[in-house]
Amino acid sequence: MASLSTTSLSFKAPSTTISQVLRKASSSQSVTFGRFTSSTKSLRLQISCAAKAETVQKVSDIVKEQLALAADVPLTAESKFSALGADSLDTVEIVMALEEKFNISVEESDAQNITTIQEAADLIEDLVQKKPAAETS
Amino acid sequence: MGASKLSGMQKQVLSLYRGFLRAARSRPIEDRKRIEMIVSTEFRHNSKEVDRKNFQYIEYLLRLGTKQLDQLKSPAIVSLSSIKVVTSKT
């Protein structure tokens, strides 16, 4: 399987604590699995028609890898890409990485409307269900 | 701050960027990584350097980038020497 690569970093977030944390930890590439499972599951109980917790978790992991976020940066379904320091180019890269991971094709008009992890997860599940024969890793 | 609406020109730039990443995807992994690095660097460089109100220059860069993307998609092209493409931030 081809590995995902982070081609460049871009931290243009507004001057907030989150921004400072991101800059300090920008060299870290580690990814933690399952750390936020608890909060993700509780979120699912609160949101009707939300994407599966598993999908939200996978999306979070990919976003974290694409943006080279530190493992301890907390992500929730409502996390906005822009709040994590992503510019519009980063968002394009995130959507492309999600396409490869879930073996789907995202229309550009849909891609331009994605601003949070929840929105990405919802769209992914919708697209996966439209392709019954598609294999998801 | 909420997500701002992308201008038409910004959408064209992101569409071009997306096209390059898609084209790179069909290449062997070493080529792909190099292409992605070159494309990303050029887009981000121009996002800093190009005045986003200089519409004529941006349109020129978009046309240039589109030609280079077409060349990249051609199987005859083995390597990618240089790309000058434009981008802009939301």
Side-chain angles (χ1 to χ4, degrees):
Chain A
M1 170 182 282
S3 63
L4 300 175
S5 63
T6 302
T7 53
S8 79
L9 304 180
S10 176
F11 294 97
K12 301 293 167 62
S15 305
T16 62
T17 305
I18 292 178
S19 170
Q20 289 158 9
V21 170
L22 292 178
R23 290 199 183 101
K24 181 180 269 186
S26 64
S27 61
S28 172
Q29 299 268 346
S30 64
V31 174
T32 301
F33 291 94
R35 173 163 179 161
F36 304 106
T37 300
S38 171
S39 64
T40 305
K41 285 178 179 174
S42 69
L43 278 174
R44 189 180 180 209
L45 295 178
Q46 298 166 15
I47 302 174
S48 61
C49 302
K52 292 173 189 168
E54 182 188 0
T55 304
V56 172
Q57 183 63 48
K58 283 184 179 178
V59 172
S60 298
D61 292 340
I62 291 168
V63 168
K64 193 170 283 187
E65 181 174 356
Q66 284 295 122
L67 298 180
L69 302 179
D72 58 348
V73 173
L75 295 184
T76 68
E78 282 76 32
S79 296
K80 280 186 173 242
F81 298 151
S82 55
L84 299 166
D87 61 18
S88 52
L89 292 175
D90 292 314
T91 304
V92 170
E93 289 171 5
I94 289 168
V95 173
M96 300 289 286
L98 293 170
E99 280 187 333
E100 271 194 292
K101 179 69 177 179
F102 291 95
N103 195 27
I104 55 174
S105 183
V106 179
E107 292 295 325
E108 287 201 40
S109 54
D110 290 330
Q112 286 165 3
N113 292 328
I114 298 174
T115 59
T116 67
I117 289 174
Q118 184 68 58
E119 287 166 358
D122 289 339
L123 179 61
I124 287 165
E125 291 209 338
D126 188 45
L127 290 172
V128 168
Q129 284 160 16
K130 289 179 178 174
K131 298 180 60 179
E135 37 179 317
T136 58
S137 60
Chain B
M1 167 176 280
S4 60
K5 185 71 178 174
L6 293 174
S7 72
M9 191 160 275
Q10 283 169 330
K11 287 180 181 178
Q12 288 182 61
V13 169
L14 295 178
S15 177
L16 182 61
Y17 187 57
R18 204 173 134 101
F20 274 109
L21 295 184
R22 282 194 183 285
R25 191 179 283 178
S26 61
R27 297 299 178 120
I29 189 64
E30 286 81 15
D31 284 351
R32 174 182 170 173
K33 288 185 174 180
R34 191 167 49 81
I35 290 168
E36 286 175 354
M37 180 62 67
I38 292 170
V39 170
S40 176
T41 302
E42 289 288 338
F43 271 84
R44 286 185 160 81
H45 169 80
N46 280 304
S47 76
K48 294 190 179 91
E49 299 298 326
V50 176
D51 178 3
R52 58 194 60 197
K53 295 198 188 305
N54 192 346
F55 301 121
Q56 276 187 322
Y57 186 53
I58 294 172
E59 282 171 1
Y60 159 76
L61 288 176
L62 281 168
R63 286 196 301 271
L64 182 64
T66 301
K67 284 184 183 176
Q68 288 171 323
L69 176 54
D70 288 341
Q71 288 173 358
L72 181 61
K73 288 176 177 174
S74 165
I77 300 298
V78 177
S79 66
L80 197 65
S81 56
S82 70
I83 306 175
K84 284 182 180 280
V85 286
V86 71
T87 185
S88 60
K89 287 195 196 331
T90 54

